[in-house]
Amino acid sequence: QFNAAVASMERNIATLGMTSDKVKRQIIAGVISRARFIGAVTTVDQLVTLRRISLLLEDNFDNLRMEDSGAIWEELVLVLKNYNENEAEKRPRSRGESGFIFKWGEDDVVTVTVPLDFKDWQLIDEFGRNLESFHWDEDEDDYAVERSRLSAR
């Protein structure tokens, strides 16, 4: 079992950093293609938001360890929510929280609710901090989540 783990580690190290620009764009395009909008959002705002996210993910591909945790990013669903004035009291940010909500579904899909008016640094910070809570479980040969480490609720 130890030798198998070492061999797996060596294979991962050998290919680390070898993701081509084309593959990076495909991973990011997959994330963008699964994005959903909640609330009143114009088509122009949707396009601008998706373009912003794609550029942020491309610029921060390595910082977010998208190559290392590709299985999560390949299934991740973004839900961009436009909080209207009637929902202001329900908005997590009104209590000093970021408004980002990370959920691990039973089908092993991570769903991230993002406020439509997010700041660039918030997106990178929240993803960087929260996706570290998901790790590869060698015994189960699958990703596991440390729910206690998730900062957004």
Side-chain angles (χ1 to χ4, degrees), residues 10-28:
E10 289 173 350
R11 282 192 306 276
N12 288 339
I13 290 172
T15 60
L16 192 61
M18 295 185 69
T19 303
S20 69
D21 288 341
K22 180 179 180 181
V23 173
K24 287 179 184 180
R25 285 190 300 272
Q26 288 173 339
I27 293 170
I28 293 166

Side-chain angles (χ1 to χ4, degrees), residues 128-135 145-152:
R129 181 176 43 240
N130 284 290
L131 291 183
E132 286 179 2
S133 300
F134 303 101
H135 65 284
V145 63
E146 296 175 34
R147 296 183 196 287
S148 62
R149 289 190 55 201
L150 292 177
S151 65

Side-chain angles (χ1 to χ4, degrees), residues 104-141:
W104 180 278
E106 290 181 17
D107 52 357
D108 290 337
V109 173
V110 177
T111 302
V112 183
T113 303
V114 178
L116 193 61
D117 61 347
F118 68 90
K119 306 281 189 255
D120 292 357
W121 65 268
Q122 286 176 318
L123 183 86
I124 301 307
D125 186 53
E126 289 290 340
F127 273 89
R129 181 176 43 240
N130 284 290
L131 291 183
E132 286 179 2
S133 300
F134 303 101
H135 65 284
W136 188 257
D137 186 346
E138 293 290 340
D139 296 332
E140 297 293 325
D141 197 32

Side-chain angles (χ1 to χ4, degrees), residues 29-59:
V31 172
I32 297 301
S33 72
R34 291 183 298 278
R36 304 290 176 259
F37 289 86
I38 297 176
V41 184
T42 67
T43 303
V44 172
D45 286 338
Q46 288 181 18
L47 293 172
V48 169
T49 301
L50 293 176
R51 180 64 176 151
R52 246 179 90 204
I53 291 172
S54 69
L55 291 172
L56 285 168
L57 293 179
E58 188 173 350
D59 289 346

